[in-house]
Every structure is written in structure tokens, then in C-alpha cells.
Amino acid sequence: QVQLVESGGGLVQAGGSLRLSCAASGRTFGDYAMGWFRQAPGKEREFVAAISWNGGTTYYADSGKGRFTISRDNAKNTVYLQMSSLKPEDTAVYVCAAASVMSDLAYRSHYDYLGQGTQVTVSS
């Protein structure tokens, strides 16, 4: 089992920045690729970003390219999502996820574990 706990969400004005963190415990963090998803009220959950087990490869949804950066610190068992130039449409619950197999990381079904999420609200 892997437990994932997100933090760092909050209320920010449009154009502002936030850094989300996801702390993992349980099995060896470095064995897992990690991803971030988000879900806004009334909308489907959508892929935001993913990172390989060693941080060498990253993937981003078009919505976050150039504005979001995913990174990880395996010594701290933590994955981060740095978000800048935030827009009201970025408002959502952001959830981190762990995948034991690095394949098609844009799909929620390819992840083994999900956290509870942290709320991000961007005001206009």
C-alpha cells in the first residue's frame, strides 16, 4: 500500500502561483511514477502532469504546459506541482497518484493509488 497526502492548495488570485506537495508513505516511493489529476465541479477528472520514477521524464496536459512544473524528491518521498500564471479555470481539487507501471500516465486507470486531494481556487 502507498498512502498519498496532498497539501499546498488554497485561494489565490488569477496570475498568482501555488506549489502543491504530495507526500507518500508505505512502499518505496522511487518505484512509482507519479501524476497529478484535477477535477472541477461538474466536470470530468482530467490529467495535469506526470513524472517518471527518477524524474527524468515529465508529461503535461496542454492546459498546463508552460505554466505548471512537476518535480519529485525521492529522498523526501514527495512529488510537487508548481503552478504559475493561474487562471480561474484552474480551480479544482488536485489529486496526486502513484503508478507502478510507467505506461499511458495520462489515464487515471493506470494508477494504483490516489490521494484525497487538495482544493485550489483561483479568483478572477
Side-chain angles (χ1 to χ4, degrees):
Q1 284 280 0
V2 174
Q3 293 77 42
L4 303 171
V5 179
E6 302 91 338
S7 61
L11 174 64
V12 64
Q13 288 189 331
S17 299
L18 278 176
R19 188 177 81 156
L20 306 182
S21 300
C22 173
S25 61
R27 295 189 176 180
T28 305
F29 179 68
D31 288 345
Y32 292 85
M34 299 296 295
W36 286 95
F37 291 79
R38 68 185 184 185
Q39 188 164 17
K43 293 188 176 182
E44 295 285 324
R45 180 178 289 162
E46 64 173 350
F47 170 74
V48 177
I51 189 167
S52 61
W53 66 274
N54 64 353
T57 305
T58 56
Y59 308 88
Y60 295 94
D62 287 343
S63 59
K65 283 181 181 176
R67 300 188 301 125
F68 296 176
T69 302
I70 188 170
S71 61
R72 67 189 296 162
D73 185 339
N74 285 355
K76 296 183 178 179
N77 291 350
T78 302
V79 62
Y80 305 97
L81 185 67
Q82 178 69 48
M83 305 185 294
S84 59
S85 301
L86 283 163
K87 307 173 183 179
E89 51 264 44
D90 293 318
T91 295
V93 174
Y94 284 71
V95 177
C96 74
S100 58
V101 177
M102 187 162 165
S103 173
D104 293 333
L105 292 177
Y107 297 94
R108 152 65 185 100
S109 60
H110 288 211
Y111 290 81
D112 303 285
Y113 304 100
L114 254 64
Q116 293 297 311
T118 185
Q119 175 71 48
V120 171
T121 303
V122 184
S123 63
S124 56

